[in-house]
Amino acid sequence: MAGMEGINFIQDLAIVLLAAGLAGALCKRLGLSVVVGYLFAGMVIGPFTPPFSLVLDVGRIETLSQVGLVFLMFAIGLGLSLTKLRQMGMSTLIATGLGAFFVLNLTQLLGLALGWTSLQSLFIAAMFMVSSSAVIAKIIADLNLSHERPGQLALAITVLEDVVAVMMLAILGSQASGVSSGTEDLGGLLASLSAFVVVLVMVGLFFVPRILRRLEAKADPELQTIIIAGVLLLMALLAVKAGYSLALGAFLLGAIVAEMPQRRGVERAFVGMRDIFSSVFFVAIGMMIDVRLMWDVWPWIIGLGLFTLVVRAVATSAALALIGTPSRQARRAGLALTPLGEFTFVIAQLGVGAKVLPAPYYPIAVGVSLLTVLVAPILNRHADVVLRAFDALEPSFVRRGLTAYQEWLHQLGGVQGGQWWQLSKSRLLQIALEMLFVTGLLIFSERIFRTLQESGLVTGLAPGTLKLLFWSTMALLVLVPLVAIWRNISTLGLIFAEQASRHTRLPGRVVETALKVLCGLGLAYWLSRIVPTDTISRWAWLVIALVLGVVLAIFSRRLIYWHSEWQSSLSGVFNSQTTTEQPNSPPSWVDTSGDWNINVQECALPERVACAGSTLAELGVRSRYGCSIVEINRHGTTLIAPEPSQVLYAGDRLLLLGTAEQIAAAREALMAVTPPGENPSFDEARLESVRVPTGAHHGKSLATLQITRQTGVLVVGHDRGGQRHINPPAQQVLLEGDHLLVLGSPAQIRAFKRWLVREEPARDGPLAGAIAPAGS
């Protein structure tokens, strides 16, 4: 009997995969997403479409689809690393969050009118929050918008909306499985979720790189794949145990692995499993769709589809306008963000499975998603007509108010460049992350304690003794970040005191003391809210407090050292793409130096190194630090006794000769790196088409304007009335209405736009002297 069940399962899996492959191939030929094909295959072979109900055990396929969800979320995380999120910029992050907030509130208003419960409104709003990145990328490519600012904004936001979807899955899973029936405690839930994410990411960033390095040293790809798959399922399980969706743990592990140098190997190893299991996942979703119900709910599909198209366009364009994007560009990007994506199906499946949403809402969600996917390309092809209609409907007072707001926002943009912000922002970020880490440890400490009790590892200890030992250990764990938080607060106090003494009449000492007192009171209140004081007696807490005081008094320097080591380990992960130093043996000629006692050391220049592009003569290593660069190894080619005119690049391996002190001083100077925003990488550079306005540059040639020298951007294309030229010649004259295709970092492109509207030539830009193309 058991053997027959196994054969039936193999039969069902074969039918699912074959149906997915055939339907996916058909949809690709029609220019549709393969996901549409998977859903259609599920509807055909599912139990609601007789006589084609070919799958015998739907429950097993649905269980297998959960594995598919894990691999799908892991793949999404691999494509969206923590560094990539940071490089997208705070304004894009804020716009994505604001757009989701607007969709949530507008959907809740609709829910009040239609009689939905608050939890139902939350689920339906989550379905409408997330767009389809695959469909949007295809629309932008088809309409040639990838070099336009609206297209770039749409692509960035649709990627970040995947993060919103994962967070919403975690929140909705917690809400649906708990006793809460709405969003009354949504703030507390978001705080605990953020704390859990920070704890999981920090622990993952500490352990996963070490695991991957050991596996890489073994040179066994099969072993690496097996162990990473086990860690993946374990992370998903931890998220479920914490009360969240398994998608959260899988996504976070993907984002962590994306920071590792071994990322490409992991992607190659998992691509096959991802494709197989994700297809099973979407087919299982299609099998849950009752086609007969779709005929009954078609008015809902059309009504909610139109609501979604309007609300998503309005919400995302308003969010972009609020961060300073010009109104027309914001609306154009909003139109591109209208199609719903795969997460809509996942959230609908969760809501129906948890009995929060009635069964008909599942085909409604699928129908609305398919409707937006079909209508969005048509809307975007006729975007000019739609945008003119928006302009006509917009009241004049709204237009004037928005223009005034964006001008004020532009003037305010210089505030973040102030000295106090540059000195304080890293400290504020460290405080926030460390507070979330401590919050996560303490919030989930009782679940950790219960798991420890149930594991059977501590059966020999009395319950009271076990509690005392557990909470003492937990207190020691949180002591290190607490010390770091206070040290950062003290540093901020000094910074603010200095700024206050410069710009106000307040004494610096008063400002510093007041800040420390306020922050101390805030920390005390925060700890009183998150420490579970009722778990053990007050006397036990007093004993723990005394022990912590003694530890702090005796081992304070050691605690600071441990925290520095922890920070260094985490920072090393984000710099993992940089070239790491490998201690090689000294060259053979050192052995022939006799009694000269020559000291040589190798120094590998990391990515974003500040000295990249400078010659040895400009750096003056020998005159400044007393040591010499005697060899340069560049991609396996060794340059012996390099000329003073030799230029250094990131990735070069330098052989330094001198005393230990001289080499240490030179190494520190050579290894200095520029902040992420100051030295653009290939990932940060972008193409953008910019219109030439009326001004001082009208009627002048590219050779006369010297655009690269003035602003740093590279002119790679010229468009006049639809006639386009790649790499225009130096004699090309610019006229009003021309479009220039320029390449540069976001800061350089903003500088170029400001330069275009100036009445007089600007001073040399940040890349003055850079090599320009002919005519730029």
Side-chain angles (χ1 to χ4, degrees), residues 422-690:
Q422 296 298 326
L423 294 172
S424 306
K425 62 181 180 181
S426 62
R427 301 282 179 179
L428 292 169
L429 179 61
Q430 289 175 22
I431 290 173
L433 291 177
E434 285 156 351
M435 289 182 70
L436 285 171
F437 180 73
V438 172
T439 302
L441 279 180
L442 294 178
I443 284 178
F444 297 101
S445 57
E446 293 187 62
R447 296 183 187 180
I448 298 172
F449 180 73
R450 286 198 300 270
T451 304
L452 186 63
Q453 277 185 314
E454 295 168 359
S455 66
L457 299 175
V458 290
T459 52
L461 293 175
T465 306
L466 177 61
K467 282 186 176 182
L468 185 60
L469 288 174
F470 175 79
W471 288 109
S472 299
T473 305
M474 191 64 66
L476 288 172
L477 281 176
V478 301
L479 184 61
V480 176
L482 284 176
V483 170
I485 289 171
W486 186 251
R487 281 169 52 83
N488 281 322
I489 288 174
S490 300
T491 304
L492 287 176
L494 292 172
I495 294 171
F496 290 151
E498 181 182 359
Q499 295 295 316
S501 61
R502 285 183 182 181
H503 303 293
T504 68
R505 296 182 179 180
L506 292 174
R509 178 70 66 179
V510 173
V511 173
E512 180 184 356
T513 304
L515 181 66
K516 286 184 176 180
V517 170
L518 289 174
C519 289
L521 293 173
L523 288 176
Y525 175 76
W526 164 61
L527 289 173
S528 69
R529 300 292 296 175
I530 63 174
V531 173
T533 52
D534 56 345
T535 52
I536 55 177
S537 65
R538 293 182 180 179
W539 289 105
W541 282 117
L542 182 60
V543 170
I544 291 174
L546 289 174
V547 171
L548 290 181
V550 172
V551 170
L552 190 59
I554 299 175
F555 300 105
S556 59
R557 291 188 178 181
R558 176 60 60 178
L559 292 174
I560 294 170
Y561 171 77
W562 285 341
H563 180 261
S564 300
E565 286 290 303
W566 173 270
Q567 274 193 325
S568 175
S569 175
L570 296 184
S571 299
V573 171
F574 292 102
N575 297 324
S576 60
Q577 301 296 328
T578 61
T579 305
T580 55
E581 293 186 60
Q582 301 292 336
N584 295 331
S585 57
S588 58
W589 51 260
V590 175
D591 298 332
T592 64
S593 60
D595 58 355
W596 280 87
N597 193 24
I598 289 178
N599 185 21
V600 293
Q601 289 186 26
E602 192 174 277
C603 171
L605 301 183
E607 191 177 333
R608 296 187 181 280
V609 68
C611 65
S614 301
T615 64
L616 296 181
E618 292 169 342
L619 294 172
V621 174
R622 186 163 185 167
S623 60
R624 293 181 182 179
Y625 309 107
C627 74
S628 299
I629 299 176
V630 294
E631 288 183 6
I632 300 175
N633 185 287
R634 181 174 297 156
H635 304 300
T637 301
T638 301
L639 307 174
I640 300 174
E643 299 278 344
S645 58
Q646 180 64 54
V647 179
L648 296 184
Y649 298 99
D652 287 353
R653 306 177 76 86
L654 313 180
L655 193 66
L656 305 179
L657 184 149
T659 66
E661 293 79 10
Q662 291 169 343
I663 291 176
R667 177 192 293 272
E668 183 178 358
L670 290 168
M671 296 286 284
V673 296
T674 57
E678 297 180 14
N679 188 18
S681 67
F682 288 119
D683 288 335
E684 292 170 332
R686 72 166 185 241
L687 281 171
E688 186 167 336
S689 178
V690 181

Side-chain angles (χ1 to χ4, degrees), residues 95-111 116 120-131 157 161 164 168 304 307-319 334 337-340 344 347:
T96 306
L98 282 174
F101 176 76
F102 292 152
V103 170
L104 171 64
N105 283 270
L106 291 171
T107 307
Q108 285 179 328
L109 289 175
L110 178 66
W116 296 335
Q120 286 176 334
S121 296
L122 184 62
F123 266 88
I124 294 170
M127 288 187 238
F128 299 160
M129 281 181 189
V130 190
S131 56
I157 288 178
E161 283 182 336
V164 174
M168 289 305 298
L304 288 178
F307 172 81
T308 303
L309 290 169
V310 173
V311 164
R312 279 199 57 80
V314 171
T316 51
S317 60
L337 287 163
T338 47
L340 298 181
T344 301
I347 294 170

Side-chain angles (χ1 to χ4, degrees), residues 25-148:
L26 178 63
C27 283
K28 288 195 78 171
R29 288 182 65 87
L30 296 175
L32 299 174
S33 169
V34 293
V35 173
V36 177
Y38 297 156
L39 293 172
F40 179 73
M43 288 189 286
V44 170
I45 66 175
F48 301 110
T49 317
F52 302 105
S53 302
L54 303 176
V55 175
L56 302 176
D57 192 343
V58 178
R60 280 191 182 178
I61 296 298
E62 289 179 356
T63 301
L64 198 60
S65 74
Q66 296 301 306
V67 181
L69 179 60
V70 170
F71 283 103
L72 181 65
M73 293 298 105
F74 179 63
I76 291 173
L78 276 175
L80 190 63
S81 67
L82 303 175
T83 301
K84 189 174 181 180
L85 283 175
R86 185 174 58 183
Q87 290 175 348
M88 283 186 176
M90 185 58 66
S91 60
T92 309
L93 292 170
I94 293 173
T96 306
L98 282 174
F101 176 76
F102 292 152
V103 170
L104 171 64
N105 283 270
L106 291 171
T107 307
Q108 285 179 328
L109 289 175
L110 178 66
L112 287 175
L114 297 177
W116 296 335
T117 67
S118 56
L119 189 54
Q120 286 176 334
S121 296
L122 184 62
F123 266 88
I124 294 170
M127 288 187 238
F128 299 160
M129 281 181 189
V130 190
S131 56
S132 172
S133 54
V135 175
I136 290 171
K138 189 174 187 306
I139 290 173
I140 289 173
D142 290 345
L143 298 179
N144 199 24
L145 293 175
S146 55
H147 298 152
E148 304 284 344

